Amino acid sequence: MRNKLFFCLLIVGFLISGCSHSSSTQPTEKKQVNNESKDKENVKIPEELKGVPLPPAGKYSGEKYNWAKVKQELDKIPKNADGKTILNKFYELAAEDYTPYFKYFQEFDTSIIKVDKGPGGMKSLKLPEEKPVNIVILVDSSGSMAAKVSGGQKMDLAKQAVKSFAKQMPDGANVSLTVYGHKGSNNEKDKAVSCNSIEEVYPLGAYDESKFNNALNKFQPTGYTPLAGAMKLAKQQLANQSKAENIIYVVSDGVETCGGDPVQVAKDLHTSNIKAVVNIIGFDIDDAGQKALEAAAQAGGGKYSSVNSKVDLEDYFAKERGRLYDAWSRWAGEHYDKASDVSNKKYKELEKKSVEMYKITERETIRFYHMEEYLEKERGFEFRLLYDHVDQKFRERANHIHDYNLYIANKLQKVVLEEANKIQKEVLNKANEEQDKLY
């Protein structure tokens, strides 16, 4: 049915390319035609329609159509007029302007969606692409870290956790490792030495696994816990990093024992121009210690996590991996669905515009047949003249327009679906790759 309608539709326009307007056209009408011609020049004629007559909109085209006035114009056609003159008059009166549709199809945006970077590495840091990332790790090496928990010595387990943690940092991040409480002893006579034993053993810079692990292995649990002092040193290290994303991770098994105020220092870090975020992993801590470290993490704009054994540490990182695994699944699912939604919407937009163009052609064709019938039955024009030199010409033109309409709409719809499919494959593959890295 649609093909038949289109077939009729396209009948209207084939002979138009050589058309000239009748001498009765008023100056104001000529100006309007000139403007339409100028607009038409700004639209590239599709290659598929090169050589097909595509005149400006007729005097009574579209919603301006008035049959009574059209008949008055038709009555001016002399009985001895040839087919070309008659057809040109038809176009002059009722030809539709297809350039808006050409413009629509030529400028149609077949892109689907922009794929973002995804959840990221092990810590799922959602950071602006243009910002550098600095991660400062503070490791408690006070005497209490020598104690045993399920799975081994706390210090050994903490080092293993830090190694695993550092290894899975986002690509391109800078890392620093600072140890505190690793000198002196936990005797009162050595307190001053121990409380001042805060040392950056791996300077802030690109992550080198071998050098990082060597620095981490050089110290053993010894003295007091200058947590506030370690965080103050971190603030000094990051003093010129106001344009970076700064994250501090503290691994500790106890509260401050050197008289400092970790909560205030964490707050200063977070509210200063470097806007550092302080996260704390509490290792085998009692209730009072946990509350103190929770307060410091909260003041630093970060989070507190508590672990008590090797199993807990492994579970902590397993949960982090699981959280990130799920985040990648959600990321892929959201992009997949969005690509589908956008492509479906654009597919339907193209379909709607194609049907709209089809109806315009159908309307034009019906009007042309009506004019042709009027000349034959009311004015006595010869049927063979009209059929051979008018009817066949505008039917041929209509068929060309119909073919172009179907071709360009189908072509663009295909591209839209291909783009969506490409993005969907991309996000699924990316999610699978990142998830494989986690286990």
Side-chain angles (χ1 to χ4, degrees):
M1 178 65 180
R2 175 171 175 172
N3 288 338
K4 289 181 180 179
L5 289 174
F6 258 124
F7 182 81
C8 294
L9 217 320
L10 301 176
I11 300 177
V12 175
F14 191 83
L15 300 177
I16 255 327
S17 54
C19 296
S20 59
H21 294 281
S22 68
S23 59
S24 61
T25 306
Q26 297 300 315
T28 55
E29 293 169 343
K30 286 184 179 179
K31 183 177 181 180
Q32 180 182 3
V33 171
N34 289 337
N35 288 336
E36 290 173 347
S37 297
K38 185 176 180 180
D39 291 339
K40 183 177 177 181
E41 289 174 1
N42 294 329
V43 179
K44 183 179 178 182
I45 301 302
E47 287 293 328
E48 297 79 9
L49 294 177
K50 288 293 177 65
V52 176
L54 296 170
K59 184 178 179 180
Y60 299 108
S61 63
E63 300 303 319
K64 298 179 292 183
Y65 191 72
N66 184 312
W67 176 239
K69 292 182 178 180
V70 169
K71 285 195 296 182
Q72 292 177 8
E73 296 283 354
L74 293 175
D75 289 340
K76 298 176 183 178
I77 300 176
K79 287 292 293 289
N80 62 348
D82 58 18
K84 181 177 180 180
T85 300
I86 295 171
L87 185 57
N88 284 347
K89 189 64 177 179
F90 281 11
Y91 288 133
E92 181 184 328
L93 294 173
E96 297 289 349
D97 181 13
Y98 292 97
T99 52
Y101 295 94
F102 302 155
K103 180 179 175 65
Y104 173 84
F105 289 128
Q106 288 165 11
E107 297 180 355
F108 188 82
D109 181 11
T110 57
S111 63
I112 303 301
I113 60 173
K114 181 180 180 181
V115 178
D116 63 38
K117 291 182 66 175
M122 182 60 189
K123 293 164 294 305
S124 185
L125 300 174
K126 297 181 179 179
L127 306 173
E129 294 182 24
E130 68 273 10
K131 280 190 175 184
V133 181
N134 299 318
I135 297 176
V136 176
I137 303 173
L138 309 179
V139 178
D140 181 356
S141 189
S142 62
S144 58
M145 289 291 284
K148 299 283 187 178
V149 294
S150 176
Q153 186 192 59
K154 286 194 284 185
M155 188 79 259
D156 291 339
L157 298 178
K159 287 181 178 180
Q160 292 175 21
V162 169
K163 288 178 183 179
S164 175
F165 178 77
K167 188 175 181 179
Q168 299 181 74
M169 287 187 302
D171 292 339
N174 297 313
V175 63
S176 167
L177 176 63
T178 293
V179 60
Y180 58 93
H182 60 301
K183 294 181 180 179
S185 70
N186 55 8
N187 294 322
E188 182 66 28
K189 65 182 181 66
D190 292 326
K191 183 175 181 179
V193 173
S194 185
C195 287
N196 286 301
S197 60
I198 304 168
E199 182 181 357
E200 185 182 30
V201 293
Y202 187 94
L204 185 66
Y207 174 70
D208 182 304
E209 183 176 2
S210 177
K211 291 181 180 179
F212 183 89
N213 290 343
N214 286 339
L216 186 61
N217 290 333
K218 286 181 179 179
F219 56 85
Q220 297 298 324
T222 303
Y224 284 76
T225 309
L227 174 56
M231 288 195 288
K232 284 183 179 180
L233 177 61
K235 185 179 179 183
Q236 294 174 16
Q237 294 164 343
L238 298 172
N240 62 345
Q241 298 292 323
S242 60
K243 295 183 179 180
E245 195 76 21
N246 301 302
I247 303 98
I248 295 173
Y249 283 90
V250 178
V251 180
S252 179
D253 76 333
V255 296
E256 169 75 30
T257 59
C258 291
D261 187 348
V263 173
Q264 184 59 52
V265 178
K267 183 178 180 180
D268 292 343
L269 276 163
H270 189 55
T271 58
S272 68
N273 65 327
I274 63 174
K275 296 181 173 60
V277 174
V278 180
N279 298 295
I280 299 177
I281 300 175
F283 199 178
D284 189 37
I285 295 181
D286 59 25
D287 290 343
Q290 180 172 317
K291 290 180 180 179
L293 293 181
E294 283 179 346
Q298 183 177 6
K303 66 177 182 178
Y304 171 83
S305 300
S306 179
V307 297
N308 295 304
S309 66
K310 178 181 179 181
V311 174
D312 288 342
L313 267 180
E314 292 175 348
D315 183 59
Y316 170 80
F317 284 105
K319 286 180 179 178
E320 284 294 289
R321 288 192 293 270
R323 178 181 62 80
L324 189 56
Y325 190 99
D326 292 340
W328 274 110
S329 293
R330 288 192 300 273
W331 175 85
E334 289 169 359
H335 280 75
Y336 190 101
D337 292 342
K338 188 174 181 180
S340 180
D341 291 343
V342 172
S343 65
N344 286 338
K345 180 180 178 181
K346 292 194 173 187
Y347 189 99
K348 291 178 180 178
E349 286 178 1
L350 287 164
E351 185 175 56
K352 181 179 179 181
K353 185 61 68 170
S354 179
V355 170
E356 181 182 308
M357 184 176 177
Y358 158 74
K359 289 180 178 179
I360 295 296
T361 312
E362 181 185 53
R363 180 177 68 188
E364 181 186 61
T365 303
I366 291 172
R367 290 173 179 176
F368 273 49
Y369 275 129
H370 198 186
M371 290 187 287
E372 186 180 39
E373 184 180 50
Y374 177 78
L375 291 181
E376 179 190 358
K377 294 184 178 181
E378 299 297 329
R379 295 207 52 213
F381 277 66
E382 183 182 347
F383 167 78
R384 183 51 57 187
L385 168 70
L386 295 173
Y387 182 78
D388 289 346
H389 300 284
V390 179
D391 185 279
Q392 291 189 31
K393 294 295 185 181
F394 71 71
R395 182 182 292 120
E396 184 178 352
R397 171 182 180 268
N399 285 336
H400 281 298
I401 297 175
H402 166 60
D403 290 344
Y404 164 76
N405 184 5
L406 292 180
Y407 163 76
I408 194 63
N410 289 336
K411 178 182 178 181
L412 292 172
Q413 286 175 326
K414 182 180 179 181
V415 172
V416 164
L417 295 179
E418 288 175 346
E419 286 296 310
N421 185 56
K422 178 181 176 182
I423 288 173
Q424 289 170 334
K425 286 183 178 180
E426 178 185 337
V427 297
L428 290 178
N429 289 338
K430 178 66 175 176
N432 288 334
E433 289 174 4
E434 293 299 327
Q435 288 172 330
D436 287 344
K437 294 176 184 178
L438 298 173
Y439 292 98

